[in-house]
Amino acid sequence: MDAVDKAVSLSTAKNHLASLVQAVETGEFFHISRHGKPVAVLISEQAYSSLQGHQSKRGVWSAIANWRAVATQEIKAWRDRSSDREVQLG
């Protein structure tokens, strides 16, 4: 079944949460807006789990650590470590 996309205001979502959750369980999803600007999406647990399965299991900090381990030599090359550079004091 294709998901149906609908927009609702935050106040409508607050007043009709039970019926929105029931609709979400049948495959619909809702963009929730505050003052006309989108701020959240209400989706089913099944859809959320599916989205989570598409993301890396490692997490952000693990990805950063992996990048740092691979790029260590490149990072070291960013600094000029030569001792014969001219320094102006005062």
Side-chain angles (χ1 to χ4, degrees):
M1 174 185 329
D2 291 332
V4 178
D5 179 12
K6 296 182 181 179
V8 297
S9 68
L10 181 58
S11 60
T12 300
K14 285 169 43 177
N15 293 331
H16 297 91
L17 183 60
S19 62
L20 292 176
V21 169
Q22 192 172 21
V24 163
E25 291 174 324
T26 66
E28 296 182 52
F29 62 94
F30 297 89
H31 287 269
I32 301 172
S33 62
R34 180 188 298 133
H35 305 295
K37 294 183 180 180
V39 294
V41 177
L42 183 62
I43 62 174
S44 69
E45 178 63 29
Q46 180 182 3
Y48 178 74
S49 295
S50 176
L51 289 172
Q52 290 298 319
H54 288 32
Q55 294 181 358
S56 171
K57 302 287 186 197
R58 298 180 310 166
V60 172
W61 294 114
S62 180
I64 290 171
N66 186 44
W67 174 80
R68 289 180 79 185
V70 171
T72 300
Q73 293 303 318
E74 181 182 338
I75 293 169
K76 286 181 181 178
W78 292 347
R79 291 187 60 195
D80 179 4
R81 296 185 188 278
S82 61
S83 61
D84 57 347
R85 62 181 177 212
E86 201 172 302
V87 177
Q88 300 269 335
L89 299 175

